[in-house]
Amino acid sequence: MKVLVACEFSGVVREAFSERGHDVWSCDLLDTEIPGQHYKGDVLDILENGWDLMIAHPPCTYLAVSGARWWKRRQAEQADAIRFVMMLANAPISKIAIENPIGKLSTAWRKPDQIIQPWQFGHGETKATCLWLKGLPKLQPTRIVDGREERIHREPPSPERWKNRSRTFTGIAAAMAEQWGVLP
């Protein structure tokens, strides 16, 4: 399967699919943290390259409810962010998952198809993550664990905080590759 992981600098989701033999590329404006097939640039430039599946992690800066107190002053940026998400959602790809936190997309676009938590996939943490799906089934939990720590939410301010908050948990990435990587 030819897989595009859009807006991913970490390489976590890309590697989960790569380990299962897929032709997978990550794409971001930043370099990748894990060496592998990575397009550094605008994902819009490669959306029409014949992908079978796209998992997109569009920036949530102007979309997440955690930043709602700034929405009124950032309406232009928010409108641009929503337009970008819609370009991803309308890409000529038959299977698409768009991931983002709870936020503006639920009212500006539509409710998510699913909300998942890391503790459903082997990580004892909370971080509600919305999935908007096209041509894909909902992810099934793979390993429900005890513990409901809010480590990501409570991380202190630092230059790396945004990166740490945006990385996909490896258990979620593995579930995506195991469950969506076998679809025709």
Side-chain angles (χ1 to χ4, degrees):
M1 182 180 293
K2 191 172 175 187
V3 181
L4 171 62
V5 186
C7 311
E8 182 193 47
F9 67 87
S10 71
V12 171
V13 177
R14 183 196 66 225
E15 288 307 295
F17 277 88
S18 181
E19 289 170 3
R20 288 158 183 82
H22 297 283
D23 178 14
V24 58
W25 285 77
S26 56
C27 174
D28 199 89
L29 298 174
L30 302 174
D31 289 321
T32 183
E33 292 181 331
I34 302 171
Q37 295 189 126
H38 181 75
Y39 176 80
K40 183 179 177 182
D42 189 339
V43 69
L44 300 178
D45 295 340
I46 62 170
L47 277 183
E48 297 190 19
N49 287 9
W51 307 103
D52 300 306
L53 166 65
M54 175 176 64
I55 300 168
H57 309 274
C60 65
T61 305
Y62 304 112
L63 300 172
V65 75
S66 60
R69 64 181 168 256
W70 293 291
W71 285 354
K72 192 169 187 170
R73 292 181 293 177
R74 298 294 183 120
Q75 290 178 358
E77 293 92 338
Q78 188 174 74
D80 287 343
I82 292 167
R83 272 192 291 280
F84 179 67
V85 170
M86 296 316 302
M87 285 188 265
L88 295 174
N90 294 317
I93 302 168
S94 61
K95 297 177 205 68
I96 297 175
I98 295 178
E99 172 274 338
N100 227 246
I102 293 171
K104 188 66 175 176
L105 290 177
S106 293
T107 55
W109 177 24
R110 64 178 173 88
K111 300 281 186 218
D113 295 291
Q114 181 176 21
I115 299 175
I116 59 173
Q117 292 278 355
W119 54 262
Q120 297 173 303
F121 301 90
H123 304 276
E125 300 183 36
T126 61
K127 182 185 178 199
T129 302
C130 299
L131 298 175
W132 288 265
L133 306 172
K134 171 184 158 187
L136 293 169
K138 293 179 180 179
L139 275 183
Q140 297 304 308
T142 55
R143 197 174 123 227
I144 295 175
V145 297
D146 293 331
R148 302 294 187 266
E149 182 184 350
E150 292 184 322
R151 180 186 62 84
I152 296 294
H153 177 71
R154 295 181 182 200
E155 184 169 330
S158 76
E160 298 295 306
R161 184 175 192 244
W162 71 271
K163 281 186 173 182
N164 296 337
R165 290 177 63 136
S166 67
R167 280 187 197 91
T168 302
F169 285 85
T170 56
I172 293 172
M176 289 174 171
E178 289 167 8
Q179 296 175 36
W180 296 340
V182 297
L183 298 173

